[in-house]
Amino acid sequence: MSEPKFTPGPWNADGVYVCDENDSEVALCDGDNWEPNSYLIAAAPELYEALEAMLDLVRAENDGELLIAHEAKAALAKARGES
C-alpha cells in the first residue's frame, strides 16, 4: 500500500476554510452546505487512519476477503488518488 500524498493532519474547520496545524489552507468550502462539508473534510485524515486500522484488523481476523475489506480498500485508494 502506498503512502497518502495529502497534507498531513490534523485539520480543523475554521469557518469556510479547512486548515492544517500550521493554519495553512487545505480546502475552501462554499455553497449551501459549507459548514457540514468543512467538518467532514477536516475529519478526513483521522477517517483515513481509522479506516486503515480497521482494514488491518479485518485482514488479520478474516483473511481480508470480506465485502467491507474491499470497500475499505477502494475508499483508501480513492483517497490516495489511485482510482
Side-chain angles (χ1 to χ4, degrees):
M1 196 178 300
S2 65
E3 289 295 313
K5 296 178 176 78
F6 54 78
T7 303
W11 297 349
N12 355 298
D14 184 14
V16 296
Y17 297 100
V18 175
C19 300
D20 67 10
E21 60 186 358
N22 298 318
D23 290 329
S24 295
E25 183 182 324
V26 174
L28 170 64
C29 299
D30 58 9
D32 293 339
N33 297 316
W34 70 267
E35 190 170 26
N37 290 344
S38 68
Y39 294 140
L40 178 61
I41 293 168
E46 289 88 354
L47 291 169
Y48 184 91
E49 289 176 14
L51 189 55
E52 273 195 321
M54 186 276 311
L55 184 54
D56 288 344
L57 181 62
V58 168
R59 282 187 187 131
E61 296 294 321
N62 301 298
D63 297 325
E65 295 304 318
L66 298 176
L67 177 60
I68 191 68
H70 295 291
E71 292 172 353
K73 282 192 234 179
L76 289 169
K78 184 176 181 179
R80 289 190 298 266
E82 297 172 359
S83 63

